[in-house]
Amino acid sequence: MTRLLPFFAIAASLGLILALRGPSFAYCLFTVVFLFFVCRQRTRFRLLFLSVAAVFIFYYLIGLSELERHETVHTAGNQTLLATISDIPVVDGDRLTMRVKASSGEKLLVQAYLTSESEQRFFKRFSPGDQCVINGTLTSPLPPTNFAQFDYRQYLMEQQHIYWIVRAQQGGIDCHQTGTTVRTMLQRWRQTQMDAMEETVSPELAGIMVALLFGERLLIDEDILHAYQQLGVIHLLAISGLHVGLITAAGFYGLIRFGITRERAFDVLFCFLPLYMIVAGAAPSVIRASCMTMIVLVCLRFKLRMPPLAAVAAVYMIYLLIQPAALFQLGFQLSFLITFALLLSAPLIQRRYDHPLAQLLSITTLSQLIAMPLLLFHFYEISWISILVNLFYVPFISFCVLPLVFLGFFLSLWLPASMNICLALLEWGVNLAHSGLVELAQQRWTMIITGKPSFSFVIVFYGVLLYGCLAWERGKTGWWRMPVCVLGILLAVQILAPYFDGRAKVTMLDVGQGDSFLLELPYRKEVYLLDTGGTVTYFDDEWCRRRRPFDVGADIVVPELKARGIRQIDRLILSHGHLDHIGGALALNEAVSIKEVLYSSADIEEHEREILTALQRQAPIRVVGKGESWAVGENRFVILAPDEQAAADPNVNERSIVLYAEIEGVSFLFTGDLEEGGERRLLAAYPELKADILKVGHHGSRTSTTEAFVDQLKPKAAFISAGRNNRFGHPHPEVLTRLATHHVGVWQSNQGAVRLELKDGQIKVTRARKTPKDLP
């Protein structure tokens, strides 16, 4: 009967998904597969079917009830709010972020930009429980504006019940400490310990200690965190059953040594674990492990017997009863899914394999296979050496680093850091392990970029995996052949699908105040990227620097490429040397292969030299100009500018590469930041020039897109790439009016990314924020 418990967990999940997200093809497919397995259970089939149906209906109603909670009492605009800080505020460089609970009872996210180092120190003193008066503007979180972008708005609304972001005015936050509750007291202690650790130990060691002790990864260096994630060992930074087990075992031993009876020790630990959940950050893995341990303590206290699988199923369903939207958290999904799989498989692994190394290999392989579809769905790539990396790093972190972290922390409460031998050992071991991990992650050959799979891919993958596990359990000879072949075919289809797609695609990415266009030719014959966008930093003071600054290349362009399954850029065309066009190239260079870089001028400045030097280590850089052309099948590309005169122009915008492209019978003109003088030269050199789609020059500035230029080109539609609420006022109203007068349809990146699918002169438009529709 215990083995049937996952059926109830799945039924609860299906009920919630139907209520919160609605039906879909993948949902129906999974439901059919699930019912097939239910019907195969011959023991007490009628009772099982009715029980599963009852659980499904109950959690469907819970989901509907959750939807009714999605209401707000606030409205957009400038307001003065009285609120209480609910979580530890995050001060990162010149930015403050904190979650608060307004006097209305509604949660809000407060963001503020700091103007001085003294103001930064002042805000670092804020703690959970402080009451604040906040003057600011309430705005709704933006939905994703790129195709591969994380839906932060949905996350805030579903997971946090936050519907408004408060943009605080300068000096618009005034807080003071009030009475404390147990929760706020624990959070303040947690904050104090994290701050002390950041000040007393090295940054690298502080990062992993805070992660393993308090469940907070903010202090971990960006490269190290990326390496953990990329190589499939990010789960080692999550507080899980091993952490809780160490704490519980140490607490039990200590209490017994002090003469406390076993029964009272169980009672004390049962009361302690809910407090530990708060201190450890209350992530899904922490709650799961702590609740399971509490169930074990109750069973030991009253001499009851409860199968571990039943305990996990109970915690899973109670968790979803309290927080239904947690079902859509990746951490929640991985934590419970892997736990279910390991508990079901553990008895068989112990019977089948005697050697500890064989058992570790089996557990690691099963865990990686269970996690693979979800990781591919969210991150679009997988490390093929992750199993080997886990075989080394799991024992190292679990049995060396973790015990030393706990010992080092407790000793630091009484000893200075210079006398703490545990910290010295950690400093040496962690630095060595992290340097190896980062070095390995920087090797592109370790990663397989698959592109973003569909829900159907995920369901079929798990179906095949389930079949393979059942065949393995039965001990069939050659049980692995069919699952391995099917999974191999499934991955091959996912990777190779773009090479069988006869449509070309042109995508304007939303990179803020900058340009980036992705061109994919039919059958993925070649891929071009025109500019990479870039983040322009206006503040150079050290205190302003953030631990993980936003980078357009790493945070927007690279995820888009990986989601498309693009592993190589055939031509990276950098129109000119301004950072908002080339700043993202450094991150791009580290993530994908580049065959050739086309640049507009040999006369470069210091920031250009740094980027081009890095690019040149991987790909040849060629300075191009007017007249160069190439063709790929029936698709033709011609560089119309810069000519020799433009290449020597002191105005960098006038040096922009102007690319004319004919793709699947549709003509494009990409103009970079070309201004009025360059447009005149272009018209004089090419008096018959026409284009179906124009990339408006210089982000829609009034210095570009003149009347004569639009009148000659006669475009049907235009791209305008400009940031939301940018300080330059782009696109200029004159330009928009001019285009409207000429009946030119406009796609603006500040309204979201746009993808054109081209085939035989036909265009289909897909917007990142809207449903696809054909261009009229």
Side-chain angles (χ1 to χ4, degrees):
M1 188 64 184
T2 302
R3 294 177 62 83
L4 300 179
L5 290 173
F7 285 101
F8 300 110
I10 294 172
S13 303
L14 288 173
L16 286 177
I17 294 171
L18 183 62
L20 296 176
R21 294 290 173 86
S24 65
F25 173 76
Y27 177 86
C28 295
L29 176 63
F30 184 82
T31 304
V32 169
V33 173
F34 172 64
L35 289 175
F36 170 76
F37 279 100
V38 171
C39 293
R40 287 194 62 185
Q41 307 303 314
R42 297 177 182 177
T43 305
R44 299 182 180 178
F45 164 73
R46 183 176 298 178
L47 178 61
L48 174 63
F49 185 84
L50 291 176
S51 301
V52 164
V55 170
F56 173 86
I57 294 170
F58 178 73
Y59 276 87
Y60 175 74
L61 296 175
I62 291 295
L64 294 180
S65 175
E66 175 71 8
L67 286 178
E68 292 179 0
R69 293 176 57 197
H70 291 185
E71 295 179 356
T72 176
V73 298
H74 294 277
T75 56
N78 295 327
Q79 295 184 29
T80 299
L81 301 164
L82 178 63
T84 303
I85 301 176
S86 55
D87 292 306
I88 297 174
V90 177
V91 178
D92 187 12
D94 64 344
R95 185 173 181 174
L96 165 72
T97 305
M98 62 182 183
R99 289 178 171 84
V100 301
K101 190 172 185 178
S103 55
S104 63
E106 187 173 332
K107 293 181 182 178
L108 304 169
L109 181 67
V110 178
Q111 294 179 348
Y113 289 95
L114 314 180
T115 58
S116 67
E117 192 171 3
S118 60
E119 192 177 24
Q120 183 192 66
R121 288 194 296 269
F122 172 73
F123 282 113
K124 280 186 176 181
R125 295 199 296 266
F126 287 7
S127 299
D130 291 357
Q131 281 198 347
C132 304
V133 177
I134 304 169
N135 293 305
T137 304
L138 267 69
T139 59
S140 178
L142 276 175
T145 59
N146 285 288
F147 296 99
Q149 189 173 350
F150 174 68
D151 194 339
Y152 189 56
R153 179 184 187 181
Q154 187 178 68
Y155 165 76
L156 287 177
M157 291 182 174
E158 283 191 352
Q159 310 298 336
Q160 305 291 326
H161 293 288
I162 293 176
Y163 308 99
W164 298 101
I165 295 177
V166 184
R167 315 281 184 185
Q169 300 172 4
Q170 184 176 342
I173 303 178
D174 182 26
C175 297
H176 61 278
Q177 196 171 94
T178 59
T180 61
T181 63
V182 173
R183 182 175 180 273
T184 57
M185 183 178 65
L186 289 171
Q187 286 183 310
R188 286 173 181 173
W189 182 83
R190 179 174 181 254
Q191 181 181 11
T192 301
Q193 299 308 313
M194 289 194 296
D195 291 342
M197 210 165 291
E198 187 178 6
E199 293 174 2
T200 56
V201 301
S202 68
E204 188 164 300
L205 184 54
I208 193 167
M209 288 187 70
V210 168
L212 295 178
L213 289 168
F214 303 109
E216 178 57 69
R217 300 176 187 171
L218 185 64
L219 299 183
I220 299 179
D221 180 78
E222 185 176 12
D223 291 337
I224 295 173
L225 189 63
H226 179 70
Y228 271 94
Q229 178 181 303
Q230 196 170 25
L231 295 173
V233 287
I234 190 68
H235 59 91
L236 295 176
L237 298 179
I239 296 177
S240 60
L242 184 61
H243 301 67
V244 178
L246 278 174
I247 289 279
T248 305
F252 182 76
Y253 178 78
L255 291 171
I256 294 296
R257 294 293 293 175
F258 275 101
I260 297 176
T261 64
R262 289 168 56 89
E263 289 74 14
R264 290 296 167 266
F266 291 145
D267 295 341
V268 170
L269 290 172
F270 185 87
C271 296
F272 165 76
L273 284 173
L275 306 180
Y276 175 71
M277 283 190 234
I278 298 173
V279 171
S285 59
V286 180
I287 296 173
R288 173 189 56 77
S290 299
C291 289
M292 283 190 63
T293 304
M294 291 167 69
I295 291 173
V296 171
L297 291 172
V298 170
C299 291
L300 291 173
R301 173 70 171 80
F302 297 103
K303 298 180 181 179
L304 304 174
R305 297 192 65 179
M306 185 175 188
L309 191 62
V312 177
V315 172
Y316 179 86
M317 297 180 73
I318 293 171
Y319 197 129
L320 289 181
L321 196 62
I322 299 170
Q323 256 188 306
L327 181 62
F328 304 106
Q329 287 182 14
L330 177 60
F332 177 89
Q333 295 165 0
L334 290 175
S335 178
F336 280 97
L337 195 58
I338 293 174
T339 302
F340 272 122
L342 292 180
L343 285 176
L344 284 169
S345 306
L348 181 61
I349 291 173
Q350 290 173 348
R351 289 197 308 268
R352 193 76 58 87
Y353 308 108
D354 296 326
H355 198 283
L357 186 59
Q359 293 180 354
L360 177 61
L361 180 60
S362 301
I363 291 171
T364 301
T365 303
L366 181 61
S367 300
Q368 291 298 302
L369 287 173
I370 291 293
M372 184 184 293
L374 290 176
L375 294 177
L376 288 179
F377 186 79
H378 288 278
F379 302 114
Y380 330 123
E381 62 181 350
I382 199 77
S383 172
W384 65 270
I385 64 169
S386 62
I387 293 176
L388 297 177
V389 175
N390 271 272
L391 284 175
F392 173 78
Y393 276 91
V394 166
F396 174 71
I397 297 293
S398 301
F399 303 117
C400 297
V401 173
L402 188 58
L404 285 174
V405 164
F406 276 109
L407 284 172
F409 171 70
F410 286 120
L411 289 175
S412 69
L413 298 177
W414 294 281
L415 296 175
S418 58
M419 297 178 62
N420 195 328
I421 185 64
C422 292
L423 295 183
L425 289 172
L426 281 170
E427 189 84 45
W428 174 79
V430 168
N431 286 343
L432 187 64
H434 281 176
S435 58
L437 201 66
V438 170
E439 182 65 30
L440 200 57
Q442 289 175 346
Q443 308 302 315
R444 281 198 297 270
W445 55 265
T446 64
M447 303 304 299
I448 300 174
I449 298 174
T450 64
K452 183 172 184 175
S454 64
F455 280 117
S456 300
F457 171 95
V458 174
I459 293 169
V460 173
F461 192 106
Y462 279 125
V464 175
L465 199 57
L466 178 60
Y467 172 85
C469 290
L470 293 174
W472 170 54
E473 183 181 29
R474 297 189 191 104
K476 293 174 60 176
T477 304
W479 62 267
W480 53 270
R481 293 194 184 99
M482 196 279 279
V484 168
C485 289
V486 175
L487 291 181
I489 292 170
L490 196 62
L491 286 170
V493 169
Q494 173 65 29
I495 293 171
L496 297 176
Y499 298 92
F500 293 90
D501 188 347
R503 298 167 296 175
K505 299 172 185 65
V506 175
T507 305
M508 173 178 65
L509 301 179
D510 175 17
V511 291
Q513 186 65 13
D515 275 17
S516 188
F517 290 83
L518 177 64
L519 278 59
E520 304 169 66
L521 299 187
Y523 304 106
R524 195 58 70 79
K525 288 182 178 178
E526 290 196 352
V527 175
Y528 307 146
L529 186 67
L530 278 65
D531 290 331
T532 63
T535 307
V536 181
T537 304
Y538 298 102
F539 303 102
D540 295 323
D541 293 339
E542 186 63 32
W543 72 268
C544 293
R545 299 186 186 279
R546 299 175 189 171
R547 298 184 186 95
R548 295 176 202 152
F550 175 78
D551 183 276
V552 165
D555 297 322
I556 293 179
V557 180
V558 169
E560 181 67 31
L561 295 177
K562 290 182 177 180
R564 302 290 301 159
I566 295 172
R567 291 165 286 280
Q568 176 177 280
I569 300 293
D570 294 282
R571 284 185 171 91
L572 174 60
I573 304 170
L574 301 176
S575 64
H576 63 292
H578 284 158
L579 277 175
D580 60 334
H581 290 254
I582 68 171
L586 288 175
L588 182 75
N589 188 52
E590 296 174 359
V592 298
S593 174
I594 301 172
K595 286 185 67 175
E596 184 181 34
V597 180
L598 306 186
Y599 206 64
S600 63
S601 172
D603 182 15
I604 60 176
E605 297 181 5
E606 186 59 35
H607 71 274
E608 296 174 80
R609 183 173 290 106
E610 178 187 353
I611 293 172
L612 294 176
T613 300
L615 290 172
Q616 200 165 25
R617 298 191 190 106
Q618 179 184 167
I621 297 176
R622 192 157 57 87
V623 176
V624 297
K626 175 183 175 181
E628 295 202 30
S629 64
W630 68 91
V632 181
E634 297 181 356
N635 304 292
R636 188 166 66 95
F637 302 86
V638 182
I639 293 177
L640 306 184
D643 56 20
E644 292 183 0
Q645 179 184 355
D649 198 310
N651 183 353
V652 177
N653 288 340
E654 298 289 29
R655 305 178 199 167
S656 294
I657 291 176
V658 176
L659 177 69
Y660 175 83
E662 290 181 358
I663 305 173
E664 285 294 300
V666 180
S667 58
F668 294 81
L669 188 67
F670 297 95
T671 60
D673 272 358
L674 198 69
E675 297 189 19
E676 184 175 356
E679 291 180 353
R680 284 200 302 268
R681 285 193 293 270
L682 205 61
L683 295 181
Y686 303 96
E688 302 299 321
L689 181 64
K690 307 287 183 186
D692 295 321
I693 297 176
L694 167 68
K695 202 295 290 187
V696 169
H698 201 193
H699 318 291
S701 164
R702 68 187 302 178
T703 61
S704 305
T705 322
T706 59
E707 178 71 30
F709 194 62
V710 177
D711 187 56
Q712 177 173 313
L713 289 180
K714 293 183 170 50
K716 299 174 185 175
F719 291 121
I720 301 180
S721 188
R724 280 176 294 280
N725 304 316
N726 64 83
R727 64 192 185 101
F728 308 102
H730 297 159
H732 198 278
E734 278 186 26
V735 173
L736 295 175
T737 301
R738 187 173 298 129
L739 292 171
T741 302
H742 286 267
H743 306 290
V744 179
V746 173
W747 298 299
Q748 296 188 47
S749 67
N750 56 22
Q751 297 173 356
V754 175
R755 176 174 296 131
L756 310 185
E757 296 179 359
L758 314 170
K759 183 67 176 176
D760 299 329
Q762 299 298 309
I763 303 176
K764 184 178 181 179
V765 183
T766 305
R767 302 172 187 267
R769 293 176 61 178
K770 294 183 179 178
T771 55
K773 64 179 182 178
D774 292 327
L775 185 71

